[in-house]
Amino acid sequence: MNGLPGNDLFSADGDDEEYDDAGSPGAVRLRPRSPLAVRMRPRTVDEVVGQQHLLGPGSPLRTLAQSADERNPAGPSSVMLWGPPGTGKTTLAHVVARGTGRKFVELSAITAGVKDVRRVMDQALTDRDLHGVTTILFLDEIHRFNKAQQDALLPAVENRWVVLMAATTENPSFSVVSPLLSRSLLLTLKPLTEADISALLLRAVEDERGLAGRVTLSGEALEHLVRLAAGDARRGLTALEAAAGVAYSERDQDTEVPEVTLKHAEEALDVAALRYDRAGDQHYDITSAFIKSLRGSDVDAALHYLARMLESGEDPRFISRRLIISASEDVGMADPTALQTAVAAAQAVQLIGMPEGRIILAEAVVHIATAPKSNAAYNGINAAIADVRAGRGQGVPSHLRDAHYPGAKQLGHGKGYKYSHDAPHGVARQQYAPDDLVGRNYYEPTGNGVERDISARLERLRGIIRGEKP
């Protein structure tokens, strides 16, 4: 604490203060503190939030983070850290940097070039051979390196002049050269869960490196910040620091410990807190409105509800599944390409991720909402299931039964079957339905979209198959 009113939340600790040589009153000059996300970086593996599937005893990351053990017959392995932003790639690197007995060097592929890499490798070889020190090279954004730059790393990694610790948000199978990938272990980081983010924010409020208990955090504000973090720890901590700044500036007295409320979080982030409980009424109400807007061909309302779901942190995979169902149930054969669009959107969202995935989902919404509508296929399968449950459709006509196993022909199986391709137009007059369902129609196409043509064709097909028309 420096005694300056209004500054004690974000003022520097003693090490971060500069004093005027004259020693005049008020001469303390404060340097801005490091961002909360930087101050809250774990110092040990045990402090890391999430990624526990990569941090078990004996795991490559834990081995890198621990002090060098000459008795261990296995040396440290080079690793590729692949995961979305904010999942802890840089954090893990800084934890590793605290290990003793090794030299840690950090480069960014955004600013570093081949000369920088070779300089590190030359020094690492010297340190290894003359001083017995292993160099750990953390290379952030390795996907920014071109093939030649990545190839320059190969000798050092292969001969373990350096232990490479590379981080990327891009799929290494496409962004990292195969020789380098084969010499490293690929470790996939998962998005942090809401519980992980919540625990991290609460720790940041109390931790001396964080806000040191100089504010409190309401439950509503915590929920809002966790939702907006969307699995990104850095984003969550940055949002918390901004909201705490608003709360602290609005406190009534210097001695008061202000509470960060939902209002403060909204003011700091300029994002309205949407009432949307993914396990409650709002989830079902908005989803219902979304589906009914698609069915009702109101593309603008459908895009609105899509936006509300996305901004509230709804899982895009859930939205994708609803689009596939809508394309099948409400569009159906009136526009068969709607289902193709919906399935492609679901796959593309998994490949691309958010936030760009919103564009793909919007395209699918526009296609489905503006497509001609038909629930004929939906009604058809429901009617067929109802007959099956009612006990109709007993048996299979003998000429359609399997005749390949021994003794089948003696039972009359397959006798009289007409091979469709031998008939004119590839359609033969023949009974396919069970005896008690002959003439039963399940699929009744509408006159909308593609089904206009299907309706006329279906009438001709049924006429030929059932012998109703020559």
Side-chain angles (χ1 to χ4, degrees), residues 320 323-325 327-328 337-347 364 367-368:
S320 298
L323 289 172
I324 292 173
I325 295 170
S328 303
T337 64
L339 178 57
Q340 298 171 16
T341 297
V343 172
Q347 295 172 340
H367 188 156
I368 294 170

Side-chain angles (χ1 to χ4, degrees), residues 247-267:
Y248 207 80
S249 66
E250 294 182 356
R251 73 195 192 286
D252 293 332
Q253 318 174 33
D254 290 346
T255 58
E256 178 187 3
V257 176
E259 180 184 50
V260 179
T261 65
L262 177 61
K263 175 177 173 289
H264 296 137
E266 290 178 347
E267 287 181 9

Side-chain angles (χ1 to χ4, degrees), residues 41 58 64 71 73 104 143 151 170 235 256-257 264 296 298 321 329-330 372 422 433 456:
R41 277 180 178 155
L64 283 175
R71 298 171 299 175
F104 186 86
H143 59 272
D151 285 342
E170 305 279 339
R235 183 187 302 172
E256 178 187 3
V257 176
H264 296 137
D298 191 332
R321 291 193 293 269
E329 178 181 345
D330 298 318
D422 292 338

Side-chain angles (χ1 to χ4, degrees), residues 85-422:
T87 51
K89 297 183 293 296
T90 306
T91 291
L92 290 170
H94 281 266
V95 169
V96 168
R98 291 179 174 272
T100 59
R102 298 195 180 106
K103 181 179 178 180
F104 186 86
V105 179
E106 181 176 359
L107 293 177
S108 172
I110 298 175
T111 57
V114 173
K115 289 183 178 180
D116 300 299
V117 171
R118 287 177 176 164
R119 184 168 57 251
V120 171
M121 292 192 301
D122 291 342
Q123 184 61 48
L125 183 58
T126 300
D127 290 338
R128 188 196 69 172
D129 294 343
L130 297 183
H131 308 293
V133 175
T134 299
T135 298
I136 296 178
L137 170 60
F138 176 62
L139 183 57
D140 201 10
E141 307 282 350
I142 190 174
H143 59 272
R144 302 288 188 104
F145 266 4
N146 59 35
K147 183 179 183 300
Q149 291 171 313
Q150 292 184 29
D151 285 342
L153 293 164
L154 289 174
V157 174
E158 184 168 18
N159 297 292
R160 201 173 282 167
W161 303 345
V162 299
V163 175
L164 177 64
M165 189 175 184
T168 178
T169 57
E170 305 279 339
N171 188 333
S173 298
F174 303 105
S175 59
V176 178
V177 296
S178 297
L180 187 57
L181 197 58
S182 68
R183 290 164 173 80
S184 308
L185 298 176
L186 176 58
L187 305 180
T188 304
L189 280 71
K190 299 178 181 178
L192 300 183
T193 66
E194 291 188 351
D196 292 334
I197 299 294
S198 179
L200 183 60
L201 296 185
L202 291 174
R203 182 197 298 175
V205 170
E206 299 297 332
D207 197 291
E208 286 299 321
R209 290 179 291 155
L211 303 181
R214 295 173 189 170
V215 297
T216 59
L217 186 61
S218 74
E220 284 187 330
L222 175 62
E223 182 181 345
H224 184 53
L225 293 171
V226 168
R227 184 170 64 247
L228 291 180
D232 187 326
R234 188 184 301 108
R235 183 187 302 172
L237 290 168
T238 300
L240 171 62
E241 186 172 27
V246 174
Y248 207 80
S249 66
E250 294 182 356
R251 73 195 192 286
D252 293 332
Q253 318 174 33
D254 290 346
T255 58
E256 178 187 3
V257 176
E259 180 184 50
V260 179
T261 65
L262 177 61
K263 175 177 173 289
H264 296 137
E266 290 178 347
E267 287 181 9
L269 304 173
D270 194 27
V271 177
L274 301 175
R275 182 173 174 263
Y276 189 89
D277 181 0
R278 278 185 276 177
D281 292 344
Q282 280 291 304
H283 166 80
Y284 295 105
D285 288 346
I286 292 178
T287 302
S288 176
F290 177 58
I291 295 301
K292 289 172 181 173
S293 298
L294 290 170
R295 181 181 301 140
S297 300
D298 191 332
V299 63
D300 304 297
L303 286 172
H304 166 75
Y305 291 119
L306 171 65
R308 284 179 66 173
M309 287 190 286
L310 292 175
E311 286 298 298
S312 299
E314 182 59 82
D315 188 341
R317 294 172 297 179
F318 168 80
I319 301 172
S320 298
R321 291 193 293 269
R322 300 310 306 176
L323 289 172
I324 292 173
I325 295 170
S326 179
S328 303
E329 178 181 345
D330 298 318
V331 177
M333 290 302 294
D335 181 359
T337 64
L339 178 57
Q340 298 171 16
T341 297
V343 172
Q347 295 172 340
V349 167
Q350 290 191 14
L351 179 64
I352 301 301
M354 300 299 288
E356 289 83 359
R358 75 192 190 283
I359 308 168
I360 299 164
L361 292 173
E363 180 178 341
V365 165
V366 170
H367 188 156
I368 294 170
T370 58
K373 302 298 189 294
S374 170
N375 65 349
Y378 170 76
N379 290 335
I381 186 59
N382 287 344
I385 289 174
D387 277 351
V388 170
R389 290 176 177 174
R392 301 187 183 94
Q394 296 298 317
V396 175
S398 60
H399 60 280
L400 298 184
R401 295 185 181 183
D402 183 15
H404 290 86
Y405 63 89
K409 291 186 178 181
Q410 284 79 358
L411 298 174
H413 292 188
K415 185 178 181 180
Y417 170 68
K418 298 176 183 178
Y419 187 53
S420 298
H421 295 287
D422 292 338

